[in-house]
């Protein structure tokens, strides 16, 4: 079934890998616009990761064995890498915090995302709070899809979005982005290039294959779970395409440059 899933999502993955956004980003100003919208996808990714950890491992007292030992091992390894990796200075921090550092080096706005996170952490209804913001439509839709997926409490669906909408996709996308930005002056771009290259290394060689094994364990031989995983994966990829389209349009509009 994993082969069928990958076959069905292949056209959407190709749209993302060949998206014109990558070639469009030619300046530091373009990258600022990109990061200021993309940062929300970097942030909400961690909620997907942590939800999977809650679903697949024991986080309550007294401890009892997890019914998903293989998937639990995989998600714990992924959490360790995503939440407490090492930055360029060998300081432990999350990949999200690395991304914020990269944005600050570019001169991009990080105040807005920090304010939103602070508010969202205190709200009783994250979906209502996201919909009440003045974020671009594509960003709001992306976040709403993520937290609606989390709210299903279905590990195989959450894992599918995590795997095929995020982990399995990230290396290819970031390689395309790096091809463009490496032609720019290195100073202010160094933290962003490090972030991208770190993701290519970790997600391509380690987390991507781990996530594929996790999907196989969670769906098993249940055809309904596989169908749900396929549907969720397709929707996750379409939401990413919509986000890329919106960023592309913003950069192309001279009002924003």
């Amino acid at each position: 079934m994993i082969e069928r899933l990958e076959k069905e999502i292949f056209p959407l993955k190709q749209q993302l890998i060949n998206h014109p956004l990558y070639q469009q980003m030619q300046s530091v100003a373009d990258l600022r616009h990109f990061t200021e919208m993309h940062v929300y996808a970097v942030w909400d990714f961690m909620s997907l990761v942590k939800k999977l950890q809650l679903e697949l491992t024991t986080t309550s007292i007294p401890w009892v064995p997890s019914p998903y030992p293989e998937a639990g091992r995989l998600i714990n390894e992924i959490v360790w890498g995503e939440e407490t990796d090492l930055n360029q200075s060998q300081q432990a921090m999350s990949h999200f915090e690395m991304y914020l550092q990269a944005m600050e080096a570019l001169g991009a706005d990080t105040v807005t995302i920090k304010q939103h996170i602070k508010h969202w952490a205190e709200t009783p209804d994250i979906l209502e709070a996201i919909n009440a913001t003045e974020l671009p439509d594509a960003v709001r839709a992306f976040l709403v899809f993520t937290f609606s997926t989390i709210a299903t409490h279905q590990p195989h669906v959450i894992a599918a979005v995590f795997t095929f909408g995020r982990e399995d996709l990230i290396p290819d996308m970031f390689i395309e982005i790096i091809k463009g930005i490496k032609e720019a002056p290195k100073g202010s771009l160094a933290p962003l290039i490090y972030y991208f290259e770190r993701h290519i290394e970790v997600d391509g060689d380690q987390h991507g294959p781990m996530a594929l094994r996790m999907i196989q364990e969670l769906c098993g031989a249940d055809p309904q779970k596989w169908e749900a995983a396929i549907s969720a994966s397709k929707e996750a990829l379409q939401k990413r395409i919509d986000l890329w389209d919106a960023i592309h349009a913003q950069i192309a509009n001279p009002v924003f440059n």
Side-chain angles (χ1 to χ4, degrees):
M1 287 295 288
I2 195 76
E3 292 81 8
R4 182 192 154 203
L5 191 158
E6 292 185 318
K7 181 179 180 180
E8 291 209 22
I9 66 174
F10 180 77
L12 292 167
K13 288 184 67 173
Q14 289 302 111
Q15 283 188 54
L16 283 165
I17 292 168
N18 298 310
H19 200 284
L21 172 64
Y22 309 123
Q23 298 303 318
Q24 185 186 38
M25 291 191 293
Q26 298 295 321
S27 68
V28 171
D30 293 340
L31 286 171
R32 289 193 194 108
H33 292 312
F34 171 79
T35 59
E36 287 169 1
M37 292 181 71
H38 177 241
V39 67
Y40 292 92
V42 178
W43 171 72
D44 76 348
F45 170 78
M46 289 306 302
S47 290
L48 280 174
V49 173
K50 297 303 285 187
K51 178 61 175 176
L52 281 172
Q53 189 178 40
L54 290 171
E55 293 286 346
L56 303 178
T57 67
T58 301
T59 56
S60 59
I61 304 299
W63 178 90
V64 294
S66 166
Y68 307 105
E70 178 70 12
R73 175 182 173 84
L74 297 177
I75 199 61
N76 276 335
E77 289 191 33
I78 290 170
V79 168
W80 178 77
E82 295 288 346
E83 199 169 35
T84 55
D85 202 0
L86 298 177
N87 70 0
Q88 281 182 294
S89 302
Q90 298 301 292
Q91 297 173 313
M93 65 174 55
S94 67
H95 284 181
F96 171 70
E97 290 167 301
M98 287 186 205
Y99 199 84
L100 289 182
Q101 284 188 341
M103 289 178 67
E104 288 164 358
L106 284 173
D109 169 38
T110 61
V111 173
T112 303
I113 176 72
K114 290 176 181 177
Q115 289 176 337
H116 280 135
I117 291 174
K118 184 177 185 300
H119 173 63
W120 291 336
E122 298 168 351
T123 184
D125 189 332
I126 182 67
L127 291 173
E128 182 180 335
I130 289 169
N131 278 317
T133 67
E134 295 182 357
L135 289 168
D137 292 344
V139 174
R140 280 204 315 274
F142 194 95
L143 292 170
V144 166
F145 173 71
T146 296
F147 286 97
S148 295
T149 298
I150 289 169
T152 67
H153 304 293
Q154 297 182 49
H156 59 286
V157 171
I158 300 167
V161 171
F162 167 83
T163 300
F164 298 105
R166 305 299 185 102
E167 288 296 278
D168 187 50
L169 182 67
I170 282 171
D172 289 330
M173 290 195 313
F174 285 179
I175 286 169
E176 293 301 313
I177 293 172
I178 284 177
K179 286 177 182 177
I181 66 175
K182 281 203 167 181
E183 297 176 2
K186 293 294 191 297
S188 63
L189 298 183
L192 188 61
I193 291 173
Y194 176 83
Y195 171 86
F196 286 155
E197 290 180 336
R198 184 66 180 146
H199 259 290
I200 291 169
E201 176 186 355
V202 174
D203 293 336
D205 297 339
Q206 301 171 34
H207 292 177
M210 286 180 185
L212 290 176
R213 297 204 304 274
M214 178 168 60
I215 285 288
Q216 290 174 311
E217 180 182 8
L218 294 176
C219 290
D222 188 329
Q224 290 186 329
K225 287 185 176 180
W226 280 108
E227 290 299 329
I230 291 170
S231 177
S233 299
K234 286 181 175 180
E235 190 170 358
L237 289 169
Q238 186 59 58
K239 287 292 186 292
R240 175 77 70 165
I241 291 169
D242 294 343
L243 179 61
W244 262 211
D245 287 346
I247 299 173
H248 182 273
Q250 185 188 63
I251 294 174
N253 190 332
V255 171
F256 293 98
N257 293 323

